[in-house]
Amino acid sequence: MSKLAILSRHAARLTLVLGLLAAPNTARGQTAPAIDILVLYTGTAADEFAKRKRSIEKEIAFVSHMQNRIFEASGVNARVNIVAKLWAEFDEAKHTPANLVCDPSTLDCANFNFQIGLISHIATETKNSDAYAVNKHRKQAGADLVSLWMWRAGWDTRGSAAAGLRKDDYNLGNGVPFSAQNRFLSLIVAEKAWLWWHFAHEIGHSLGLGDTGDSPSDLIHDDAFGYVDTQFPFRTIMADDDECNKAGFAACMRIPLYSNADPAFRYLGHPIGKKGFNAARTLNETAPFVAGYSDVLP
């Protein structure tokens, strides 16, 4: 069976799991803040998908569907509206700095995240001159967040990066110059993006969640991390495999949920959070804030 077929089957199973999760919909009857997200995809990404007889816009639609299911099943009162658009102004071959292109003969590209440097480069260009028209497209779409989808050599590189929302920015309120800090940007390797966790993970950062390497003191709430169950075993969207590795597992399955310390929210009967691991609390607080970005960004 091909890698694509295996992963397609995996995604189908995860979609089924979402329908089986025993999580109450505490948001029912409430108006969920709508976060408008513009996905700008490069011509290279679209062409590579077409070579594989896949539609990148259909992949984006799938991720949009999954994100809303994940919010609901995690006890998060929020939803996303996603619009996709070809990003003609950015040519991956011409506009990617040479030092941010991995040479597989000298480096394990799958374990080195060049996307962090690249999103920083794009953010700087966006702030200084909007050289790649990110702000132009964001304004036209009325978007709160922008997700950049690139090919970046497909499976041979790490999947994503984001400019996350931090406590200092959040505490300043909507007067903070987000455009200067580019908190609305994330970058996804398109061949991995349809595996929902890459998009969901980076959107989590955009809403103030942390992962390994983030200091709890920098976060809006110090429990905005992913949760790991080393008995079952599994990990929620923002968690990595470190604890699983220490427990003797090569990896833990990533489940389609953000951590939630409320015992009513479970995965196949297992808690998905506890004290110190409650991403849903931060998401419910910051979703209305992020949903207002398009109103305050210049």
Side-chain angles (χ1 to χ4, degrees):
M1 184 181 293
S2 70
K3 180 185 290 185
L4 177 59
I6 292 171
L7 290 168
S8 296
R9 179 174 293 181
H10 183 54
R13 287 172 178 167
L14 288 168
T15 304
L16 177 61
V17 165
L18 278 170
L20 297 175
L21 293 172
N25 182 2
T26 58
R28 188 167 295 156
Q30 301 178 29
T31 300
I35 301 167
D36 296 313
I37 303 175
L38 172 64
V39 173
L40 293 175
Y41 59 86
T42 65
T44 301
D47 290 345
E48 292 291 344
F49 270 61
K51 289 177 185 177
R52 292 155 178 78
K53 301 188 185 304
R54 293 160 58 191
S55 162
I56 193 167
E57 295 212 358
K58 287 183 179 180
E59 306 285 356
I60 293 167
F62 171 75
V63 165
S64 176
H65 166 76
M66 287 294 291
Q67 185 63 44
N68 285 322
R69 295 289 301 278
I70 290 166
F71 275 156
E72 181 178 9
S74 303
V76 176
N77 186 42
R79 62 185 176 87
V80 298
N81 299 321
I82 295 181
V83 175
K85 185 176 183 181
L86 175 66
W87 190 21
E89 292 82 2
F90 190 88
D91 185 308
E92 292 192 44
K94 294 179 181 178
H95 296 142
T96 303
N99 66 311
L100 297 177
V101 178
C102 184
D103 180 354
S105 67
T106 60
L107 192 67
D108 181 359
C109 303
N111 287 308
F112 194 89
N113 198 340
F114 280 90
Q115 279 51 271
I116 295 174
L118 183 54
I119 195 172
S120 178
H121 165 74
I122 293 170
T124 298
E125 294 299 312
T126 298
K127 172 186 173 183
N128 293 338
S129 65
D130 203 26
Y132 306 131
V134 173
N135 272 327
K136 172 187 172 183
H137 290 302
R138 178 187 56 76
K139 292 175 185 177
Q140 289 176 344
D144 302 304
L145 301 176
V146 178
S147 180
L148 310 172
W149 287 32
M150 302 185 187
W151 184 250
R152 299 290 282 155
W155 285 102
D156 297 329
T157 186
R158 287 285 292 271
S160 53
L165 175 62
R166 291 295 180 259
K167 181 193 295 183
D168 289 346
D169 295 334
Y170 182 70
N171 287 344
L172 286 173
N174 280 334
V176 66
F178 282 105
S179 59
Q181 301 178 34
N182 295 287
R183 294 305 189 200
F184 58 85
L185 280 175
S186 61
L187 189 159
I188 310 287
V189 175
E191 177 58 2
K192 297 181 177 182
W194 71 281
L195 295 172
W196 49 267
W197 59 80
H198 291 282
F199 186 84
H201 184 96
E202 301 313 331
I203 293 304
H205 283 309
S206 297
L207 286 160
L209 303 185
D211 60 14
T212 301
D214 287 318
S215 169
S217 62
D218 290 334
L219 303 180
I220 296 157
H221 295 297
D222 61 8
D223 58 2
F225 290 99
Y227 174 75
V228 179
D229 182 322
T230 56
Q231 301 300 312
F232 195 49
F234 65 81
R235 56 186 171 125
T236 59
I237 287 166
M238 303 305 294
D240 63 23
D241 267 323
D242 286 355
E243 287 187 52
C244 298
N245 297 157
K246 291 175 184 177
F249 298 102
C252 286
M253 181 180 73
R254 198 189 302 250
I255 62 170
L257 293 169
Y258 294 105
S259 63
N260 192 328
D262 183 340
F265 289 87
R266 309 177 78 82
Y267 171 70
L268 301 180
H270 298 265
I272 60 169
K274 62 181 182 179
K275 184 178 180 180
F277 302 91
N278 191 9
R281 174 165 75 133
T282 291
L283 293 172
N284 278 317
E285 182 173 326
T286 60
F289 181 74
V290 174
Y293 278 11
S294 61
D295 296 326
V296 299
L297 287 171

